[in-house]
Amino acid sequence: MSSSPLRFDDGPVQFRQRVICSILSRRPLLVKNIRHLDQDPGLRDYEASFLRLIDSLTNGTSIEINETGSQFKMRPGIVINGEVSHDCSVSRSIGWFLEGVLPLASFGKRDLKLTLTGVTDGYENEEVSIDYIKASMLPVLKEFGVGADESEGPGAMLRVTRRGAAPGGGGSVEVFCPMVKALTPINIVDPGMIKKIRGNAVSCRIPPTSPARVAHAAKGILHKLIPDVWIHTDTNSGSKTNGPGGCGESPGLKCILSAESTTGVTLSAEVCLDYRLERGAVLPEDLGVQAATLLLDEVRKGGCVDSACQSFIFLLMCLTPEDVSRVRVGVLSRYSVTTLRLLKQVFGVEMKVTGEGKVDGGGDVDGGGVARSVLLSCLGIGFRNVSKSVT
């Protein structure tokens, strides 16, 4: 793996991934032309907040930002982790921040005990929520050996202590992730058959009938295909200042659904009520139908991981020991294709892609209406946790 600096001249494209890859590869990072043609050029508040979070999780990291914010340099340090608290910008959800730092969570000198405050729900189709991370990404970490052996201690955990919908936020999340010396290669190629579906309809400062209507509409579709469907309703009134049941000042409504197969594969999909819409523009039943439709579309694609989790699992595959890791995905999203190019540039890892699947937006369905899945495999770089304390 090269030690030369990473240089990017195309602005904030894949901002979080580039920062994380710089730290993992221990290569300095230079990013230029960050919105340099905009009326308001430079880094946004949430990107600056993400850099502050990275600085809190590491030791020796040096970050320099020019006067306009259109260029920054970073010299990566060592991942320390430990107990860290961070107030996230309300311009992005807590999930946006947590998704970014999750690849670093297991490579610190100590276990990660992270507390994040800000928006827990409400940015539809822009970023994953904390509930999605808990349902899909934490099980992926376990597949890579993070907390897989319960005799050595608890695995990765996420707990929502307080809900906070967009745009006001006010939520709080506690995350725990144990450190590991190295990841374990994976071989996740059999999607199996769906045996059960679980979900959660969450509301903040909205009458409790709304999440119940969301759950009823989703079950109305899913029960036609599988009998084992259970959707929990989580109502947060905002009357409590802290703890379960409390929430921030903004109203919100969301639904997340997860399908588990006979081979242990979990596919998830979620939908949030867009706070920018007028009241009554979207009915709770519409949200439930949309969530069920998105989940069924993920199942139709025939992958072992859902679309939003692809880039995360690709990065972890590159960091495994020098052995082959394989995973089957459905339709490759355009974001995932960009991630594969970044991983090749940073780590020198080139994925072998087999199958007849195509990039999202192309003809990815055969004549029978079934999506053609894609099998990706690669040889890990043998990444080891050099920050881990010697005991």
Side-chain angles (χ1 to χ4, degrees), residues 11-12 32-42 44 68 70:
K32 296 181 177 181
N33 301 327
I34 302 175
R35 304 183 181 91
H36 63 295
L37 298 179
D38 289 6
Q39 292 183 351
D40 183 18
R44 298 292 182 251
T68 62
S70 60

Side-chain angles (χ1 to χ4, degrees), residues 52-175:
R52 289 194 294 270
L53 175 58
I54 292 296
D55 186 57
S56 300
L57 295 173
T58 59
N59 183 29
T61 297
S62 172
I63 301 173
E64 299 178 10
I65 305 174
N66 68 353
E67 293 182 358
T68 62
S70 60
Q71 174 179 311
F72 81 91
K73 300 177 182 178
M74 187 184 77
R75 185 171 294 277
I78 298 175
V79 184
I80 300 298
N81 288 339
E83 295 188 14
V84 178
S85 297
H86 182 74
D87 186 15
C88 303
S89 167
V90 294
S91 301
R92 284 289 185 267
S93 72
I94 293 176
W96 185 85
F97 290 85
L98 183 56
E99 180 191 17
V101 301
L102 201 56
L104 295 179
S106 301
F107 297 118
K109 189 175 181 179
R110 298 184 293 269
D111 294 341
L112 175 62
K113 299 177 182 178
L114 179 62
T115 301
L116 299 174
T117 56
V119 175
T120 59
D121 315 289
Y123 290 110
E124 182 184 12
N125 299 329
E126 295 182 9
E127 57 219 36
V128 300
S129 73
I130 51 175
D131 297 283
Y132 173 85
I133 292 175
K134 183 177 182 180
S136 282
M137 291 188 170
L138 295 191
V140 166
L141 274 179
K142 190 173 182 179
E143 292 288 341
F144 282 95
V146 179
D149 188 354
E150 297 181 356
S151 62
E152 297 182 358
M157 296 182 293
L158 186 154
R159 186 168 74 96
V160 182
T161 56
R162 180 178 168 86
R163 292 279 176 179
S172 179
V173 176
E174 295 178 353
V175 182

Side-chain angles (χ1 to χ4, degrees), residues 12-22 29 46-47 50 54 93-101 126-128 311 335 342:
V13 178
Q14 289 201 308
F15 174 80
R16 295 169 300 166
Q17 283 71 18
R18 289 174 175 178
V19 171
I20 296 304
C21 287
S22 170
L29 174 67
Y46 55 89
E47 293 166 336
F50 183 79
I54 292 296
S93 72
I94 293 176
W96 185 85
F97 290 85
L98 183 56
E99 180 191 17
V101 301
E126 295 182 9
E127 57 219 36
V128 300
S311 59
Y335 187 83
L342 176 64

Side-chain angles (χ1 to χ4, degrees), residues 193-206:
M193 302 293 291
I194 301 301
K195 64 178 182 179
K196 64 180 181 181
I197 295 176
R198 297 292 181 263
N200 195 13
V202 183
S203 68
C204 295
R205 294 187 176 272
I206 285 181

